[in-house]
Amino acid sequence: MAERWLASQAQGSTARYPRASQQSQESLLVDMTAEEKRTPPGNRRTANRRPMIPSIMLDASPERSSAFRTGQERLYEAYNDLHSLAQDFEKPFDAPAILVVGHQTDGKSALVEALMGFQFNHVGGGTKTRRPITLHMVYNSACVQPNCYLVTEDYGEQEVTLEELQDHIESENQRLEREQQFWAKEIVVKIEYKFCPNLTIIDTPGLIAAAPGRRNSQLQNSSKAVEGMVRMKMEQKEYILLCLEDTNDWSNATTRRLIMQVDPHLSRTVVVSTKLDTRLPQFARGSDVELFLRPPGRLLEPGMLGGCPFFTSVPSGRVGNAKDAIFRSNEHFREALRDREDRDVTELEHRLDRRLEKAERARIGVGQLRRFLEQLLQRRYLENVPSIVPLLEKEYRNAAARLVATQEELNDLHPDKLKEKGRHFREAFLAKLALLLRGTVAAPPERFGETLADEHIRGGAFVGPDGKTLPVFEGLPNAHMRLFGGAQYHRAMAEFRTGIGQLICPDISREEIVNACGIDDFHDGVNYTRTACVIAVSKARDMFEPFLHQLGYRFAHILRRMLPIAMFLLQRDSQFLNGHDLFLKRVGASYHAFIDEAERTCRGKCQEDLMSTTRYVTWSLHTKSRSSLKSMLAKVTTPDRQEQRQRDIKLARDPEEENQVLDVLENTLWNRQLGVMSEEIVAALVCQIFEGIRDHVVQAVELKFNCFFLMPVVDAFPTRLREELEAAYEEDIDEVFDVAAVRNALDLRLKSLESELHQVERLQRKFATIHSTLAQQMSSKPDPEAQPDEAMISQSQALEGLSKVAQVAKMADKFAKSMEFQPASKGAHTVLSARG
């Protein structure tokens, strides 16, 4: 109904607006001629492809207006150009696509081949598809045989034969099967064919229902990998989900169970029951067939796309000349598809004992599903037309602005101007570094910040002598926050201060004490004080020296991270020096070299301080005070001392007056027999000296890293960078900016922007013409005698989409007139002045 109405209105509108129609056709002719001249000879075959005409037009009735077909051709051609623009220049344009989802052996690949009208894929039992295959199908009435193009990142769009495409897909699947892997990277194929519709279909690997048990663990892992891959693609809202169910009982939701996690109401899901020819013999009564053909709402979501499921059958067998081939040609395969559809309808009518209604007949067979999907995508295309106009306007303005900026950069390649630009960038970069140390919220923490756990992974954690990571103090502030710059430096210093400042002296063995005693120069007695000093300084040196390296590496990591953050802030504030990669690398290399040099210098000073602290024991420094030494000695208790203390208490004597600890210590000076009391005294004295060394080292390291590592970045690096760049300017400015390479890069960018601007402009005119045509069709009233047709897609929704198009038609015309622009580039001037 809607198509006949649009056709009648198109005839009338052409008569009322002959000049507008002629101008639109002439403008499109000029566009095609200009594009042909700009297209390289090697790519002219691709550029001169015939417009995209949906295969549904082949079944159109004779009363269909040629003007309507022309409008649809222009719509598909405009979308085809829009897709090319999005791929060539990475634009944010995306069109609806059909995502095929089903379990393995549900017949996904076979159904895709049936929709296309020829066989190309690796079909069979088990999991054959191990990589998603994206098929951009383009109707081309001139292609009696399929024209296949394999799209890769390295070589772009390459024309291949059907056999080569089959071999490529089969070899990829076999390789992944040998490796027992799945790959989310898509195989992208573009196919032009007289018998294929204008659809973009993505065939996904089959979902796997793995059995439980350890022996099936590998299959279970594959099941999780495939499910995650498919679910990630289903979450893209612009995709229409084609849910394949190989079942005769709709309460058994094998594939729908996964799909409804993403699309709970099946509002963008078309449910298809495959292998209908094998389902029908399983029904004994006509009522069972009725329930299967018209499932109630309790079994299927009533809001599913299309209202009811589709039912398809694909004849088994492959096309080819091999002995096991069933079909001689693709034409023979299509005939078998039509014959299978007719037999399914006949079998259904026989089992139901009645004729199928028109709505029921529209859901039986691959051909009906294909028509439905085409009409569905046509409606989606029409609904997306209004949103494309502002996107094209934005892209045009951005491209024009970048074109002018590129031309200005070409004009600024004079040495004096380059030096001045370098100086401005240098000062802005130094200002951003200082800002990051002082603190700022300009950089997003979710992108540039690091939690303490992230910092440990990338910058290293503090590891003790036993090889284990030191535990983080529970009260360490901001441990779970994503920090950068000065805040991250302060947190790392706090972790060092709390973690290292709480270390205790490792356990001391009796062998270590005995070996440290030795023999004195003048007597064979034992100086346990010297023994304690020898052990304490050795333990302290071995423990604290590795922490100096770890701390230096951690701080260097934190300050190195400031370089990309500073560059981001410069880009955000439009202070970045685009195109001059050699200059930027020089600045970055100077910064990294300064960080490494400052870290080595500061670490060397800390090592000198550690050496002086552990080279000679100064009691006033290492034991803190005489009272602390007394308290330490008071803790030393033995069974003999406890008995003596009890006797002193009975005799009412003061234990301190006897000074028994000092007496015992004196008695051990010439006793080489290491007793319990001597061992405890040495261990306590070692711990006291160790703690003194630890406290001094932690304090000294913090002061030195602040003074000789952090502060030089603020006050010494700016002077160093200025001197290095000015000296490089005097030697050879080409070595600083690489003027020749920059000029070549800017010339290439200029040509790319001119081509992009030209394509965007052509698309604007095409979509403006489509808007105007559809608006003219909507301006007339429909024929009151026209009778509505039953269809699976509500044509009223399509008309609502056309009304939206009519609302933006005036805006598109006004925009097409307002986009007059005169850039400085001579080549760009030729492109842009065409808009006048």
Side-chain angles (χ1 to χ4, degrees):
M1 183 268 294
E3 292 175 352
R4 288 201 299 268
W5 176 77
L6 287 174
S8 63
Q9 297 304 314
Q11 291 178 348
S13 63
T14 305
R16 285 192 296 271
Y17 302 97
R19 183 176 180 182
S21 177
Q22 183 178 0
Q23 289 177 350
S24 301
Q25 295 175 2
E26 290 176 355
S27 64
L28 289 176
L29 181 61
V30 171
D31 291 340
M32 292 175 63
T33 305
E35 178 66 17
E36 182 177 356
K37 291 180 179 179
R38 293 177 57 86
T39 305
N43 298 335
R44 193 162 294 167
R45 172 186 48 78
T46 303
N48 293 336
R49 294 175 189 165
R50 299 192 56 167
M52 299 168 63
I53 308 174
S55 62
I56 192 172
M57 299 303 174
L58 300 177
D59 302 327
S61 55
E63 68 269 14
R64 263 189 155 156
S65 170
S66 61
F68 179 81
R69 291 198 299 270
T70 302
Q72 289 290 346
E73 291 173 13
R74 291 179 180 176
L75 179 64
Y76 278 92
E77 181 183 3
Y79 267 102
N80 192 23
D81 292 344
L82 189 68
H83 299 162
S84 300
L85 179 69
Q87 294 175 1
D88 294 341
F89 299 100
E90 298 181 357
K91 296 299 179 184
F93 303 127
D94 206 348
I98 308 296
L99 185 71
V100 185
V101 182
H103 279 72
Q104 61 180 8
T105 69
D106 276 355
K108 301 185 314 305
S109 300
L111 179 61
V112 171
E113 289 181 338
L115 290 172
M116 298 180 66
F118 68 95
Q119 293 181 352
F120 74 98
N121 206 348
H122 192 194
V123 178
T127 304
K128 294 301 181 182
T129 303
R130 290 182 170 264
R131 283 182 64 181
I133 304 176
T134 299
L135 302 166
H136 297 294
M137 295 184 286
V138 181
Y139 169 79
N140 191 337
S141 59
C143 297
V144 181
Q145 296 297 328
N147 286 347
C148 304
Y149 302 90
L150 186 63
V151 184
T152 60
E153 294 181 355
D154 297 333
Y155 304 102
E157 184 178 312
Q158 285 186 311
E159 186 171 3
V160 295
T161 64
L162 185 58
E163 291 76 14
E164 291 173 342
L165 178 61
Q166 290 173 334
D167 293 341
H168 176 75
I169 295 175
E170 187 170 352
S171 63
E172 279 295 292
N173 288 328
Q174 289 177 350
R175 176 182 66 84
L176 293 172
E177 186 175 5
R178 288 193 302 269
E179 299 173 357
Q180 297 182 348
Q181 292 181 356
F182 293 86
W183 196 7
K185 188 176 180 60
E186 300 173 0
I187 300 176
V188 181
V189 180
K190 183 181 291 185
I191 297 175
E192 293 181 346
Y193 193 31
K194 181 178 181 180
F195 299 101
C196 77
N198 283 294
L199 295 176
T200 297
I201 293 183
I202 303 174
D203 186 14
T204 61
L207 301 172
I208 303 174
R214 288 186 176 181
R215 59 189 303 175
N216 299 312
S217 60
Q218 188 172 2
L219 196 61
Q220 293 166 5
N221 294 333
S222 299
S223 175
K224 294 178 182 178
V226 174
E227 184 173 325
M229 180 197 312
V230 174
R231 178 163 183 165
M232 179 180 64
K233 293 187 176 298
M234 288 193 301
E235 290 175 351
Q236 301 186 35
K237 300 299 183 183
E238 69 274 10
Y239 286 171
I240 298 168
L241 308 180
L242 198 64
C243 172
L244 272 58
E245 293 281 16
D246 183 7
T247 179
N248 61 354
D249 183 6
W250 289 115
S251 60
N252 184 16
T254 54
T255 305
R256 279 176 290 134
R257 183 182 297 110
L258 176 63
I259 288 182
M260 293 183 71
Q261 296 176 10
V262 178
D263 185 20
H265 303 291
L266 302 179
S267 58
R268 57 185 181 96
T269 301
V270 179
V271 179
V272 180
S273 175
T274 58
K275 304 178 184 179
L276 178 63
D277 52 340
T278 63
R279 300 277 88 79
L280 292 179
Q282 301 176 15
F283 296 110
R285 296 174 299 180
S287 59
D288 297 333
V289 179
E290 289 279 5
L291 181 63
F292 182 62
L293 201 63
R294 294 174 175 265
R298 60 181 175 84
L299 296 179
L300 279 176
E301 292 291 328
M304 62 183 295
L305 190 58
C308 287
F310 284 80
F311 303 88
T312 62
S313 299
V314 178
S316 60
R318 306 303 293 168
V319 175
N321 298 322
K323 294 182 180 179
D324 55 349
I326 303 298
F327 308 111
R328 299 182 304 276
S329 63
N330 288 316
E331 179 62 31
H332 188 195
F333 172 63
R334 291 191 295 273
E335 290 177 358
L337 280 172
R338 290 190 289 268
D339 181 64
R340 182 70 265 172
E341 182 176 326
D342 293 339
R343 283 189 288 170
D344 287 344
V345 171
T346 302
E347 181 68 16
L348 280 171
E349 291 180 342
H350 172 70
R351 290 183 175 273
L352 294 174
D353 195 20
R354 63 175 176 83
R355 301 270 307 173
L356 290 179
E357 300 177 1
K358 189 174 182 180
E360 294 173 331
R361 178 64 182 87
R363 294 185 280 113
I364 308 299
V366 175
Q368 300 296 334
L369 175 63
R370 172 169 142 172
R371 291 187 180 91
F372 173 82
L373 294 176
E374 282 187 298
Q375 294 173 357
L376 183 61
L377 288 188
Q378 288 175 20
R379 191 188 75 189
R380 294 290 179 93
Y381 281 166
L382 291 174
E383 291 175 351
N384 289 347
V385 166
S387 63
I388 291 174
V389 174
L391 280 177
L392 287 174
E393 177 183 0
K394 178 182 177 181
E395 292 301 321
Y396 184 88
R397 293 187 183 277
N398 291 339
R402 283 184 280 126
L403 188 67
V404 174
T406 303
Q407 184 61 52
E408 291 178 352
E409 290 185 39
L410 276 171
N411 297 333
D412 289 343
L413 291 182
H414 189 273
D416 293 336
K417 292 185 177 180
L418 287 176
K419 291 180 182 179
E420 193 62 27
K421 290 174 67 175
R423 294 186 183 104
H424 283 301
F425 175 83
R426 178 193 66 200
E427 298 304 320
F429 170 68
L430 294 174
K432 297 303 182 187
L433 287 180
L435 179 65
L436 288 172
L437 287 176
R438 292 196 305 267
T440 180
V441 294
E446 62 275 6
R447 178 177 175 183
F448 295 107
E450 281 186 343
T451 63
L452 190 60
D454 297 334
E455 187 178 325
H456 285 175
I457 294 173
R458 300 164 188 167
F462 295 119
V463 180
D466 56 355
K468 297 181 180 179
T469 303
L470 296 185
V472 179
F473 178 60
E474 295 182 358
L476 186 68
N478 309 323
H480 301 290
M481 293 188 179
R482 292 170 292 191
L483 306 180
F484 55 81
Q488 187 176 6
Y489 179 93
H490 182 272
R491 182 181 63 186
M493 184 63 78
E495 182 188 3
F496 174 80
R497 184 170 55 251
T498 57
I500 310 303
Q502 296 179 358
L503 290 177
I504 60 176
C505 182
D507 294 335
I508 305 169
S509 65
R510 295 174 61 88
E511 288 81 0
E512 288 178 324
I513 297 176
V514 173
N515 282 315
C517 290
I519 299 177
D520 195 83
D521 294 342
F522 294 96
H523 63 90
D524 61 352
V526 181
N527 187 350
Y528 286 106
T529 304
R530 179 189 176 279
T531 301
C533 293
V534 170
I535 297 175
V537 297
S538 178
K539 293 284 186 182
R541 186 186 302 113
D542 293 341
M543 174 168 285
F544 294 124
E545 186 173 5
F547 289 125
L548 299 180
H549 296 272
Q550 297 172 17
L551 183 64
Y553 187 83
R554 173 81 74 87
F555 282 156
H557 162 74
I558 293 172
L559 293 192
R560 286 193 194 100
R561 293 187 61 247
M562 291 169 50
L563 179 63
I565 304 176
M567 295 298 178
F568 167 80
L569 296 178
L570 290 171
Q571 286 181 327
R572 188 205 60 173
D573 297 339
S574 301
Q575 297 176 320
F576 194 73
L577 202 60
N578 291 310
H580 299 282
D581 294 339
L582 188 62
F583 178 81
L584 297 176
K585 289 179 181 179
R586 181 180 288 269
V587 173
S590 177
Y591 179 73
H592 283 297
F594 184 86
I595 293 297
D596 294 338
E597 180 182 337
E599 189 270 334
R600 285 195 303 269
T601 302
C602 182
R603 178 161 40 85
K605 293 181 181 296
C606 293
Q607 287 176 326
E608 290 179 359
D609 194 80
L610 176 63
M611 179 62 67
S612 64
T613 308
T614 57
R615 179 66 178 83
Y616 186 78
V617 175
T618 305
W619 291 107
S620 61
L621 175 66
H622 292 78
T623 59
K624 299 181 181 179
S625 65
R626 189 166 182 265
S627 60
S628 62
L629 183 60
K630 273 189 174 183
S631 62
M632 178 270 299
L633 293 176
K635 297 176 183 177
V636 179
T637 58
T638 63
D640 297 338
R641 291 191 62 211
Q642 290 179 355
E643 294 177 1
Q644 181 65 32
R645 186 178 295 273
Q646 295 296 331
R647 289 195 299 269
D648 291 340
I649 293 174
K650 292 180 180 179
L651 297 175
R653 292 188 300 181
D654 186 3
E656 296 298 333
E657 293 179 358
E658 300 297 332
N659 205 358
Q660 295 155 348
V661 175
L662 295 178
D663 294 339
V664 172
L665 185 60
E666 183 180 359
N667 293 331
T668 58
L669 288 177
W670 52 82
N671 185 8
R672 300 189 66 87
Q673 183 69 31
L674 185 63
V676 177
M677 182 177 181
S678 301
E679 183 180 356
E680 289 190 359
I681 291 174
V682 173
L685 190 57
V686 168
C687 292
Q688 187 73 13
I689 299 173
F690 180 88
E691 291 177 2
I693 297 174
R694 178 198 64 195
D695 295 343
H696 177 78
V697 168
V698 170
Q699 184 179 14
V701 167
E702 183 173 1
L703 289 173
K704 283 181 171 54
F705 267 94
N706 287 338
C707 296
F708 300 108
F709 181 70
L710 180 63
M711 294 311 298
V713 177
V714 178
D715 51 30
F717 175 68
T719 303
R720 170 114 167 239
L721 182 61
R722 294 186 186 103
E723 292 176 352
E724 289 183 358
L725 291 180
E726 292 298 331
Y729 289 164
E730 297 300 328
E731 292 178 4
D732 187 2
I733 194 169
D734 287 340
E735 293 295 329
V736 180
F737 288 98
D738 195 4
V739 178
V742 172
R743 188 181 299 277
N744 293 334
L746 290 176
D747 287 335
L748 292 176
R749 191 198 306 173
L750 192 67
K751 293 179 182 178
S752 176
L753 287 171
E754 289 178 359
S755 176
E756 178 183 345
L757 209 61
H758 176 73
Q759 292 192 33
V760 173
E761 182 190 11
R762 288 181 62 251
L763 279 175
Q764 285 177 333
R765 287 204 298 266
K766 284 189 176 184
F767 276 98
T769 302
I770 294 171
H771 293 164
S772 300
T773 303
L774 295 176
Q776 292 172 7
Q777 294 171 355
M778 289 297 299
S779 62
S780 302
K781 295 181 180 180
D783 185 2
E785 298 180 358
Q787 297 295 326
D789 295 333
E790 292 185 6
M792 297 307 300
I793 301 177
S794 175
Q795 298 292 345
S796 62
Q797 296 180 357
L799 295 179
E800 292 178 3
L802 295 179
S803 66
K804 297 178 182 178
V805 174
Q807 295 175 4
V808 299
K810 294 183 179 180
M811 181 183 70
D813 294 336
K814 184 183 296 185
F815 166 72
K817 295 178 181 179
S818 64
M819 292 303 297
E820 296 181 359
F821 191 81
Q822 300 295 333
S825 171
K826 183 177 179 180
H829 173 81
T830 304
V831 176
L832 294 177
S833 60
R835 302 186 60 82

